[in-house]
């Protein structure tokens, strides 16, 4: 399985997701600022992977800070990492977790604080893989045998520490012996589906076809798709789901055609402080991601562009939310807090 991110003696090593699959290149981030740039520039992306990167970013930042001023530098490190991408709540969840641990160690020798932060970041990484396996186990039974699964964006090993959330469900269904094939939405403009989902599923030998985003309705109507499974960047208390731009259209088309629409995500993607998806901040990305493909202009110079990276799917389109603790169904205001133990 592909190594998305790793803590090493040299720094935080990430596979560069901006150049896959044409190039398999690894980037080593040697300080927290480089980790922040890697998150912002989407060298690493996907909500859980962003969380792991942020945890490692805090740990590497404190390794290098002035022992006499580590408390103030921790604030700068956390603020810098928090300013990278606004939508995926796992970023803030991981930063909070690391910060709380560091503050609980105030008064201890700096060597101990540093060692404990590395341990914690590695724990966030290891837990994420275990969580994804549990999500897969909880979701595998929901995937109809002998049909295609439609997925949007990349919620796979590359978007997590490993195994994936939505792709974890697909992997678990395949491991359970089901005959599963996949339609991967291309996912304009960053092409996470065509470049990343297709790449990792092909490596696993899972039958995968890429479709452009505007083909999804056609295949949903044709009865070729047994269910849709996608990941999430943030889920509000009422079950509204922020995920990659285009997810909402897929969800509406799935409901119109009677196809179940599942969201696979860890509990750390829940933001129970938000009563609805309308409160989820949506990241706007650079216009060049839309006007250019691999540096080649595909639109006239100077044209206006909108590039929201995510959209919100209202809970009425969501058949179930598959987490490591079980599957939540409507009414989500009740089922999500129950699963989260809150
Ligand atoms: O902009 P990205 O590539 O970070 O967006 C990723 C997604 O929307 C994923 O579906 C989501 O983060 C879940 S990843 C398990």
């Amino acid at each position: 399985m592909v190594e998305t991110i790793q803590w090493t003696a040299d720094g935080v090593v990430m596979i560069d997701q901006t150049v896959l699959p044409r190039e398999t290149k690894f980037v080593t981030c040697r300080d927290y600022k480089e980790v922040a740039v890697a998150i912002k520039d989407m060298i690493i992306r996907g909500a859980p992977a962003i969380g792991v990167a942020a945890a490692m970013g805090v740990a590497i930042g404190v390794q290098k800070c002035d022992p006499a001023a580590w408390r103030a530098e921790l604030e700068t490190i956390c603020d810098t990492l928090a300013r990278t991408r606004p939508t995926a709540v796992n970023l803030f969840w991981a930063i909070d977790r690391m910060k709380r641990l560091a503050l609980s160690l105030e008064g201890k020798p700096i060597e101990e604080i540093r060692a404990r932060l590395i341990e914690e970041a590695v724990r966030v990484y290891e837990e994420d893989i275990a969580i994804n396996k549990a999500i897969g186990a909880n979701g595998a039974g929901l995937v109809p045998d002998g049909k295609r699964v439609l997925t949007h964006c990349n919620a796979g090993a590359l978007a997590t520490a490993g195994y994936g959330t939505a792709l974890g469900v697909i992997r678990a269904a395949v491991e359970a012996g089901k005959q599963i094939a996949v339609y991967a939405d291309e996912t304009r403009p960053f092409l996470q589906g065509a470049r990343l989902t297709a790449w990792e599923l092909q490596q696993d030998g899972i039958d995968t076809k890429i479709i452009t985003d505007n083909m999804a309705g056609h295949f949903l109507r044709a009865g070729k798709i047994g269910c849709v499974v996608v990941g999430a960047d943030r889920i509000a208390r009422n079950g509204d789901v922020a995920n990659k731009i285009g997810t909402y259209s897929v969800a509406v088309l799935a409901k119109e055609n009677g196809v179940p629409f599942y969201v696979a995500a860890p509990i750390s993607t829940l933001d129970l402080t938000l009563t609805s998806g309308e409160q989820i901040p949506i990241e706007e990305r650079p216009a060049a991601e839309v006007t250019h493909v691999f540096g080649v202009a595909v639109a006239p110079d100077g044209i206006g562009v909108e590039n929201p990276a995510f959209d919100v799917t209202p809970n009425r389109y969501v058949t179930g939310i598959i987490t490591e603790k079980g599957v939540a169904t409507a009414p989500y205001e009740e089922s999500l807090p129950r699963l989260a133990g809150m």
Side-chain angles (χ1 to χ4, degrees):
M1 194 163 55
V2 55
E3 280 289 359
T4 305
I5 180 165
Q6 265 185 306
W7 179 272
T8 73
D10 291 337
V12 182
V13 178
M14 304 170 186
I15 192 163
D16 184 348
Q17 301 195 31
T18 64
V19 295
L20 276 173
R22 295 180 307 164
E23 244 185 283
T24 308
K25 184 178 122 197
F26 291 86
V27 170
T28 304
C29 300
R30 293 190 165 80
D31 62 37
Y32 77 91
K33 289 186 188 156
E34 288 181 359
V35 174
V37 169
I39 296 172
K40 198 170 183 55
D41 291 352
M42 294 173 70
I43 286 168
I44 189 153
R45 34 65 50 201
I50 290 171
V52 175
M56 292 186 178
V58 174
I60 206 167
V62 174
Q63 303 309 303
K64 308 213 165 165
C65 68
D66 173 359
W70 74 266
R71 185 66 192 70
E73 285 185 38
L74 177 69
E75 292 298 330
T76 310
I77 294 164
C78 292
D79 288 352
T80 305
L81 289 163
R83 275 198 305 270
T84 51
R85 298 195 71 191
T87 305
V89 75
N90 307 60
L91 173 75
F92 309 101
W93 168 86
I95 293 170
D96 272 7
R97 176 168 163 170
M98 297 297 287
K99 192 169 171 180
R100 262 188 286 114
L101 174 67
L103 296 180
S104 76
L105 298 170
E106 221 170 339
K108 303 263 188 213
I110 189 71
E111 296 73 28
E112 183 180 339
I113 298 172
R114 286 176 173 156
R116 291 281 300 277
L117 288 174
I118 295 175
E119 272 170 35
E120 189 72 1
V122 172
R123 196 170 299 126
V124 170
Y125 166 93
E126 284 167 354
E127 282 176 9
D128 187 58
I129 299 176
I131 285 168
N132 294 333
K133 293 265 168 81
I135 290 173
N138 289 337
L142 300 171
V143 180
D145 204 353
K147 284 210 159 184
R148 277 194 186 263
V149 177
L150 173 65
T151 190
H152 189 74
C153 193
N154 172 265
L158 288 166
T160 61
Y163 202 68
T165 55
L167 298 195
V169 170
I170 292 169
R171 288 193 164 101
V174 171
E175 284 162 17
K178 289 191 175 175
Q179 296 301 309
I180 308 288
V182 176
Y183 279 136
D185 272 350
E186 171 188 44
T187 318
R188 275 278 290 154
F190 201 72
L191 302 176
Q192 288 95 330
R195 296 191 303 106
L196 308 177
T197 296
W199 183 73
E200 59 168 276
L201 291 180
Q202 188 180 54
Q203 290 201 336
D204 276 10
I206 297 175
D207 175 356
T208 302
K209 287 183 175 169
I210 297 170
I211 59 173
T212 63
D213 301 330
N214 49 1
M215 295 174 187
H218 169 76
F219 287 113
L220 282 161
R221 199 161 102 90
K224 295 207 165 196
I225 296 172
C227 72
V228 179
V229 189
V230 297
D233 287 84
R234 199 186 289 225
I235 302 173
R237 197 178 186 90
N238 69 345
D240 290 352
V241 174
N243 191 49
K244 180 52 52 196
I245 192 76
T247 301
Y248 170 49
S249 326
V250 174
V252 174
L253 287 162
K255 186 163 179 134
E256 165 72 14
N257 290 285
V259 176
F261 178 90
Y262 295 108
V263 174
I267 295 289
S268 56
T269 301
L270 302 181
D271 186 347
L272 300 180
T273 67
L274 304 183
T275 51
S276 96
E278 279 169 38
Q279 297 153 354
I280 298 175
I282 300 294
E283 176 184 8
E284 184 74 22
R285 302 259 333 151
E289 288 181 0
V290 174
T291 54
H292 290 65
V293 177
F294 294 118
V296 178
V298 292
D301 286 348
I303 194 74
V305 170
E306 300 228 33
N307 187 15
F310 303 97
D311 59 26
V312 173
T313 298
N315 58 19
R316 64 182 176 279
Y317 297 107
V318 180
T319 311
I321 298 176
I322 307 163
T323 76
E324 70 273 29
K325 299 269 174 68
V327 181
T329 51
Y332 291 104
E333 285 90 347
E334 290 170 18
S335 58
L336 288 176
R338 198 166 49 235
L339 279 189
M342 293 168 94

